[in-house]
Amino acid sequence: MSTSSTPDLVAYDDAVARFDPVVGLEVHVELNTATKMFSPAPTEFGAEPNTQVDPTSLGLPGSMPVLNAKAVESAIRMGLALNCSIAAECRFARKNYFYPDMPKNFQTSQYDEPIAFDGWLDVDVPANEAGEPAFTHRVEIERAHMEEDTGKSSHVGGATGRIHGAEYSLVDYNRAGIPLIEIVTRPITGAGPRVGEVARAYVATLRDLLKGLDVSDVKMEQGSMRCDVNLSLRDSPESRLGTRTETKNVNSLRSVERAVRYEVSRQAAVLLDGGSVLQETRHWHEDTGLTTSGRIKSDADDYRYFPEPDLVPVAPDPAWVEELRAALPEPPAARRRRLQGEWGLTDLDMRDLLNAGALDLVEATVVLGAPPAAARKWWTGELGRAANTRGTSLEELPVTPAQVAQLQALVDGGKLNDKLARQVLEHVLDGEGDPQQVVDARGLAVVSDDGALLAAVDEALAANPDVAGKIRDGKVQAAGAIVGAVMKATRGSADAARVRELVLERVASGA
């Protein structure tokens, strides 16, 4: 094997032709509760370092944990949505490990008694660029358990941002103790060469599911949803599982697929060179698309789990669990299929809506009375361009579905044409109020008064006698030039259809 900084790799297609890849995914989801898992400290993202702490999250002597009831409810709802069984009784354990960013030096988690277990999630994998068709793959869920997040270390002075080579490290305990749910799959088999696509689609489907449950903001770029990718190779689907690596904290859908493909190529190179894959954690490097060795992977025994003595077992009331089950929202895949049918969208239309992050916004606009086609046009057209220009997402634009629905109502009612509506929308985005307020303040309504329009029509006909002559000779299409002149004179505020009618009437009457 090469000892260079960039390791030898086997081409991906050659690797999956020789080996059967198996992936397992561990997704950590920070809940959007107002307080931490075991204390009343706040959880707001982006606060100044070490300002959202208390004795419990700092691990101070004598502090005692109190379980967050909302976190338990969220965990149960997540388990139910993942088709899991909910434990009649479960308990917390202490996971002992050297955590430089966990001040009490153990993590309160769940070990052999998770709150949810034995579930599954059907994942729709889209067709790919190679022309391979879409398919559905069932991913089995082993468990979903409750725990607390760790703090965050920042390593200063090094070239890589990691501890190696750093001059010093800083620790922010704001994140320590935030409620966390870890969702662990069973080995995902049978995906073959498309294993990376399945992994990516699973994380995307899970993210949509959790967002629909409103238990987390699932912002991977902020770390509120993080994925660890376990990958191993075996000689064939009939062989036993190979030694796995765990690539930690992959924080985008694209990177999940890239990390899988890289580890397939890297491990194949190791095995074909006669080496053995180490069971280790690895770091993912977004800039280079490489993984590098972290540490030898610990097994469960190394963590010396033992029951948490300061927390009583959790025993959810079965009737409460059934109430939560009955109140679950429509699953995202079923919702997409329903909306696609109701709105008459093609698969490509729906894909474009999803890629734009516009589905929820369009649905909310339609619920408020806008036609589906018009709602799609605004959110994926004008507002999509506005978001790109401002370097933000659609959801972060200063406009609401209610305002878009009101804008379309003004168009449908004949008070605005498309050009004026776009102007109104620009002023709404600039913070000038709702569409009707902008129309009133700026006088942007369509001019439909015949008196004002006739004056503009007569002026345009007088300035273009040759065009008027063509209309008299039966070339009705020539009226478009007069309509255009009137629209220019009125700065686009005229009712174009009414202008055309008036032009033809004036020419016919010989005026």
Side-chain angles (χ1 to χ4, degrees), residues 30 102 107 147-151 175-180 223 226:
E30 284 186 353
M102 179 64 82
Q107 182 186 37
E147 58 188 24
E148 59 183 336
D149 212 343
T150 61
R175 198 175 69 182
I178 285 182
L180 200 66
R226 311 189 291 274

Side-chain angles (χ1 to χ4, degrees), residues 19-351:
F19 297 102
D20 179 47
V22 178
V23 69
L25 300 167
E26 302 172 12
V27 177
H28 299 78
V29 181
E30 284 186 353
L31 300 180
N32 56 5
T33 55
T35 58
K36 294 186 177 182
M37 180 65 94
F38 302 114
S39 78
T43 59
E44 181 182 355
F45 179 81
E48 288 296 313
N50 296 310
T51 59
Q52 301 197 143
V53 296
D54 64 358
T56 301
S57 57
L58 289 175
L60 298 182
S63 59
M64 295 288 287
V66 177
L67 182 57
N68 187 323
K70 184 65 176 179
V72 175
E73 177 183 317
S74 296
I76 293 173
R77 294 179 68 232
M78 290 167 66
L80 292 172
L82 291 168
N83 303 291
C84 289
S85 298
I86 304 301
E89 182 174 297
C90 60
R91 69 179 66 238
F92 285 93
R94 292 187 177 183
K95 181 180 181 182
N96 294 274
Y97 184 72
F98 176 66
Y99 287 98
D101 41 18
M102 179 64 82
K104 60 189 181 183
N105 211 31
F106 65 84
Q107 182 186 37
T108 305
S109 179
Q110 291 188 304
Y111 173 44
D112 55 343
E113 298 182 48
I115 193 164
F117 54 92
D118 292 345
W120 52 267
L121 184 63
D122 283 338
V123 174
D124 294 329
V125 183
N128 60 23
E129 294 180 355
E132 295 173 300
F135 64 99
T136 300
H137 197 94
R138 174 161 291 189
V139 174
E140 295 185 350
I141 308 297
E142 179 178 303
R143 57 191 281 142
H145 65 261
M146 300 180 287
E147 58 188 24
E148 59 183 336
D149 212 343
T150 61
K152 183 177 181 179
S153 298
S154 299
H155 307 295
V156 182
T160 65
R162 301 190 184 278
I163 193 170
H164 303 293
E167 296 178 11
Y168 59 92
S169 297
L170 301 173
V171 183
D172 178 9
Y173 289 123
N174 281 351
R175 198 175 69 182
I178 285 182
L180 200 66
I181 305 298
E182 181 175 353
I183 302 167
V184 183
T185 72
R186 292 196 171 94
I188 302 171
T189 60
R194 302 186 70 178
V195 62
E197 296 172 61
V198 171
R200 176 177 182 160
Y202 165 74
V203 178
T205 303
L206 183 61
R207 184 184 64 176
D208 289 347
L209 182 71
L210 300 180
K211 187 175 181 180
L213 291 172
D214 194 26
V215 294
S216 171
D217 63 18
V218 291
K219 292 182 178 179
M220 298 186 75
E221 71 279 6
Q222 293 184 0
S224 56
M225 182 173 176
R226 311 189 291 274
C227 182
D228 298 340
V229 177
N230 294 270
L231 194 285
S232 66
L233 300 179
R234 56 184 178 179
D235 288 332
S236 72
E238 292 74 34
S239 305
R240 71 175 189 173
L241 296 177
T243 301
R244 65 184 173 89
T245 60
E246 181 180 10
T247 302
K248 302 289 286 185
N249 294 333
V250 183
N251 64 354
S252 76
L253 299 178
R254 176 172 174 264
S255 291
V256 168
E257 183 173 354
R258 291 174 68 204
V260 169
R261 291 176 66 92
Y262 180 83
E263 275 299 290
V264 166
S265 295
R266 187 192 69 82
Q267 291 186 27
V270 172
L271 294 173
L272 291 174
D273 197 40
S276 299
V277 174
L278 289 177
Q279 181 173 318
E280 62 180 348
T281 63
R282 298 184 66 83
H283 299 301
W284 170 250
H285 299 272
E286 182 68 36
D287 54 346
T288 61
L290 305 177
T291 68
T292 57
S293 181
R295 60 177 174 83
I296 299 299
K297 175 64 177 173
S298 302
D299 290 317
D301 291 344
D302 298 320
Y303 292 121
R304 304 188 314 281
Y305 283 100
F306 67 87
E308 168 57 68
D310 294 332
L311 289 167
V312 299
V314 178
D317 183 346
W320 179 50
V321 172
E322 292 309 309
E323 288 178 9
L324 294 177
R325 188 195 306 276
L328 288 177
E330 184 180 20
R335 172 176 169 244
R336 288 194 295 269
R337 288 191 293 270
R338 175 178 58 79
L339 292 177
Q340 183 172 349
E342 291 177 356
W343 297 347
L345 304 182
T346 65
D347 290 343
L348 181 59
D349 291 335
M350 179 56 76
R351 187 187 71 185

